[in-house]
Amino acid sequence: MEQGASESRSLGSRVARHILRLFFYLIITALALFIGGLAIFYQHIATIAPPDNPKADAIVVLTGGYQRIDQAVQLLRKGAGERLLISGVNPATTGNHIRVLTRSSDDLFACCVDIGHDAMDTTGNATETARWIRGRGYKSIILVTNNYHMPRSLAELERTDHGTRFIPYPVPTDVSPSELVRNPLLIRTIAAEYVKFLLVVSRDWTGFSV
């Protein structure tokens, strides 16, 4: 009887070790996949570049810095699109405030710029943009946002609006290795964007919202 109990304990111990070993391998595999995917994501945002002389029905810029808005207004001035939506503007910020900061004319903002105050995040940007596109019947859009934010923004917009062609126009943020060493917070920003991007592309089965 003691021998049977001993064999049972031995079997249980072997099963436990096997489960722990399997769990360890799964963790290592998941970590390797994450790091590999992050490296590909980093390479993409480090090399993505705006197209030369882009042309579309209209332009959309997602707020998050006036460098983005400046670039979008410049595209509008050059005739890259007939109209500009600035999505996700703080309700306390007026169109006139943005016009002054971008040194734009009253005529340009009066005729061709729409200010969106509803969006609170990238998901909201996509909803606000899709509604604006449907209301005006556009078929092609130049999307302006930072390079590290572009993959998630495109994923959100393409998921929300299947009928529109989005042309990415990334505003460069220095993500070179030397800059990552100098500014470690940038590593956290890129990693966070990668995680959010994964959640966006897998949202239908994860149920997460970012």
Side-chain angles (χ1 to χ4, degrees):
M1 188 171 182
E2 290 181 0
Q3 182 179 358
S6 177
E7 290 177 352
S8 178
R9 286 195 296 271
S10 177
L11 177 62
S13 178
R14 289 197 300 271
V15 169
R17 286 198 300 271
H18 179 73
I19 292 174
L20 287 174
R21 191 179 301 115
L22 180 61
F23 181 73
F24 175 76
Y25 288 151
L26 288 175
I27 292 295
I28 293 298
T29 301
L31 185 60
L33 289 173
F34 178 85
I35 293 173
L38 179 59
I40 294 171
F41 182 83
Y42 167 75
Q43 182 66 22
H44 175 64
I45 66 173
T47 56
I48 187 174
D52 295 327
N53 303 314
K55 187 70 177 177
D57 294 337
I59 306 161
V60 172
V61 58
L62 310 185
T63 54
Y66 278 100
Q67 187 182 9
R68 301 181 187 180
I69 299 174
D70 282 337
Q71 185 63 74
V73 171
Q74 288 181 33
L75 288 170
L76 181 65
R77 288 195 190 107
K78 294 176 181 177
E82 67 180 39
R83 198 166 189 88
L84 168 65
L85 169 66
I86 305 175
S87 174
V89 176
N90 189 304
T93 302
T94 65
N96 187 60
H97 185 203
I98 296 174
R99 182 192 64 78
V100 171
L101 288 173
T102 57
R103 300 179 182 178
S104 302
S105 68
D106 287 330
D107 290 343
L108 182 68
F109 264 63
C111 83
C112 306
V113 177
D114 294 315
I115 308 296
H117 291 290
D118 293 339
M120 302 297 292
D121 52 22
T122 306
T123 303
N125 287 140
T127 301
E128 185 171 64
T129 298
R131 185 169 59 243
W132 183 76
I133 291 170
R134 286 194 298 269
R136 296 188 173 274
Y138 295 137
K139 298 299 181 184
S140 60
I141 294 292
I142 296 171
L143 175 64
V144 181
T145 189
N146 287 90
N147 51 359
Y148 62 82
H149 189 232
M150 185 62 74
R152 179 161 63 103
S153 301
L154 274 177
E156 287 279 18
L157 284 163
E158 290 171 349
R159 185 178 182 275
T160 304
D161 187 336
H162 302 289
T164 302
R165 181 170 66 96
F166 293 100
I167 303 169
Y169 196 97
V171 175
T173 296
D174 187 1
V175 293
S176 63
S178 59
E179 181 62 20
L180 295 181
V181 171
R182 193 188 70 82
N183 182 12
L185 288 178
L186 190 55
I187 300 175
R188 186 175 69 179
T189 298
I190 293 171
E193 274 299 320
Y194 174 59
V195 171
K196 291 176 182 179
F197 170 73
L198 291 179
L199 291 176
V200 169
V201 298
S202 61
R203 182 183 300 159
D204 288 339
W205 55 271
T206 62
F208 282 105
S209 178
V210 292

